């Protein structure tokens, strides 16, 4: 099993876009800076969607520009389309990620594009990335969303996911990730799907899982991913944003609990857990009354807890 793991914090994007209130730009900056100082090396800081759709993300250009001034931080921006990718590249994002829904019904409902149209959009973005001068090309990743099931279609056949992963790679992306957008995944399914996709596109082209904890299986699914060589896990501080389908449950897996599990197992995350726990105060103060999740923050660290040796 891998000795170190990258945790990609997605709270400022995935978490905040699920919260109705708009977090102040200065609070977002303080959050991102504090989390980077706690040792988080990759943060998805926002999404280049039209502000009319998601006012919570209206300041993404300013946030990306700010985050780029933080040392040792990979700045990720979510882009829904070519126009978003143009804006992300103009701001100098290190990594851009486009969600590609494996359920065609979900894709048509969400972004009004079927799979053929999505592959064309992905190819246009890959071409744009390739045209950038060397050294200024962002890492371009496709997140295969609803990969573990869809709230509209139910199960999505494995063969369809494999076929679309191959099509995305052929369109020119650097790698794909698997996203449990709906919180349907179970560990056996994670094992099976990661193996099938890796076998089709190359073991080093699938490194990331985006998991939710809707049904309490988030960390169990991480364990399954670790066993298959996954090295990057998305998570959200305080599980911010919750889960729209299951009141009381976090949406994304909770960064604090994920770091605790990995460090306690001797897997290095590079993150100082005590510093990370203090970052919650910034979020709590900026969004008073917003539920924050996590078992480790509530229970505290065990007596004699030792982090992984770096
Ligand atoms: Zn998510």
């Amino acid at each position: 099993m891998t000795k170190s793991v990258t945790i990609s914090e997605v709270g400022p994007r995935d978490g905040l876009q699920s919260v109705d209130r708009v977090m102040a730009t200065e609070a977002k900056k303080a959050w991102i800076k504090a989390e980077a100082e706690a040792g988080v090396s990759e943060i998805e800081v926002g999404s280049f969607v039209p502000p009319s759709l998601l006012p919570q993300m209206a300041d993404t250009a300013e946030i990306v520009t700010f985050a780029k001034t933080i040392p040792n931080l990979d700045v990720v921006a979510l882009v829904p389309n070519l126009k978003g990718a143009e804006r992300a590249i103009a701001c100098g994002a290190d990594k851009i990620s486009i969600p590609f829904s494996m359920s065609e019904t979900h894709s048509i409902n969400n972004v009004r594009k079927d799979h053929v149209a999505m592959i064309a959009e992905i190819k246009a973005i890959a071409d744009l990335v390739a045209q950038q001068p060397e050294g200024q090309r962002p890492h371009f990743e496709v997140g295969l969303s609803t990969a573990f099931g869809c709230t509209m279609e139910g199960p999505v056949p494995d063969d369809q996911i494999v076929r679309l992963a191959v099509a995305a790679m052929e369109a020119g992306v650097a790698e794909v990730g698997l996203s449990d957008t709906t919180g349907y995944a179970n560990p056996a399914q994670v094992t099976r799907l990661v193996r099938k996709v890796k076998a089709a596109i190359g073991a080093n082209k699938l490194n990331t899982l985006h998991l939710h904890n809707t049904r309490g299986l988030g960390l169990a699914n991480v364990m399954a991913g670790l066993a298959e060589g996954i090295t990057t896990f998305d998570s959200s501080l305080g599980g911010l944003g919750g889960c729209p389908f299951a009141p009381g449950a976090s949406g994304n897996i909770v960064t604090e609990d994920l770091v605790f599990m990995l460090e306690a197992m001797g897997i290095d995350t590079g993150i100082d857990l005590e510093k990370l726990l203090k970052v919650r105060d910034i979020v709590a103060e900026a969004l008073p009354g917003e539920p924050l999740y996590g078992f480790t923050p509530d229970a505290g660290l065990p007596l004699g807890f030792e982090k992984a040796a770096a």
Side-chain angles (χ1 to χ4, degrees):
M1 207 177 272
T2 175
K3 281 272 156 232
S4 71
V5 153
T6 298
I7 290 183
S8 184
E9 168 67 47
V10 297
R13 197 279 302 169
D14 202 337
L16 285 180
Q17 76 172 39
S18 312
V19 173
D20 288 336
R21 281 178 290 171
V22 176
M23 186 186 267
T25 303
E26 291 313 308
K28 286 189 189 180
K29 290 180 181 174
W31 173 9
I32 291 162
K33 183 165 183 284
E35 213 166 316
E37 282 170 0
V40 175
S41 60
E42 183 174 307
I43 304 182
E44 192 168 291
V45 300
S47 173
F48 284 99
V49 285
S52 53
L53 288 181
L54 279 178
Q56 301 95 318
M57 297 289 118
D59 57 3
T60 295
E62 182 178 345
I63 295 293
V64 170
T65 305
F66 166 78
K68 283 290 294 170
T69 66
I70 300 172
N72 307 318
L73 179 66
D74 280 334
V75 180
V76 188
L78 190 125
V79 300
N81 50 34
L82 178 63
K83 194 155 177 263
E86 284 166 356
R87 295 177 64 201
I89 289 171
C91 296
D94 298 304
K95 185 167 165 182
I96 57 177
S97 174
I98 185 170
F100 178 19
S101 190
M102 299 294 91
S103 151
E104 197 157 39
T105 314
H106 184 265
S107 187
I108 291 166
N109 270 274
N110 254 337
V111 293
R112 294 194 197 85
K113 286 192 181 78
D114 63 13
H115 283 155
V116 170
M118 275 305 298
I119 289 293
E121 196 78 21
I122 289 165
K123 169 115 181 33
I125 297 172
D127 290 347
L128 177 70
V129 169
Q131 286 159 18
Q132 304 308 306
E134 216 185 311
Q136 291 173 39
R137 283 175 212 144
H139 192 75
F140 180 30
E141 184 175 322
V142 166
L144 307 175
S145 58
T146 66
F148 297 90
C150 169
T151 51
M152 296 169 188
E153 278 191 15
V156 180
D158 290 358
D159 289 354
Q160 180 167 322
I161 294 156
V162 168
R163 177 172 56 80
L164 294 170
V166 169
M169 292 303 299
E170 285 172 356
V173 308
E175 62 178 282
V176 303
L178 287 172
S179 299
D180 182 21
T181 319
T182 52
Y184 283 13
N186 67 71
Q189 189 184 15
V190 169
T191 304
R192 193 181 73 230
L193 206 48
V194 169
R195 282 183 188 172
K196 283 188 181 179
V197 173
K198 277 179 176 267
I201 66 171
N204 59 345
K205 299 298 179 190
L206 167 59
N207 301 303
T208 302
L209 290 181
H210 178 104
L211 299 166
H212 282 202
N213 198 40
T214 316
R215 291 171 177 79
L217 300 189
L219 292 183
N221 290 333
V222 169
M223 289 305 301
L226 280 173
E228 296 306 318
I230 295 294
T231 51
T232 299
F233 294 91
D234 292 356
S235 63
S236 175
L237 191 84
L240 187 73
C243 173
F245 321 113
S250 71
N252 298 290
I253 50 175
V254 174
T255 305
E256 301 90 310
D257 290 339
L258 175 61
V259 172
F260 170 66
M261 181 181 83
L262 295 170
E263 291 286 338
M265 290 173 67
I267 297 172
D268 182 31
T269 63
I271 296 170
D272 182 322
L273 192 46
E274 286 180 31
K275 274 191 191 168
L276 183 74
L277 290 170
K278 293 203 180 80
V279 181
R280 286 167 73 96
D281 296 345
I282 296 171
V283 179
E285 197 178 307
L287 295 171
E290 192 63 39
L292 291 180
Y293 302 91
F295 291 99
T296 307
D298 285 346
L301 296 177
L303 181 64
F305 167 74
E306 274 186 56
K307 67 183 260 80

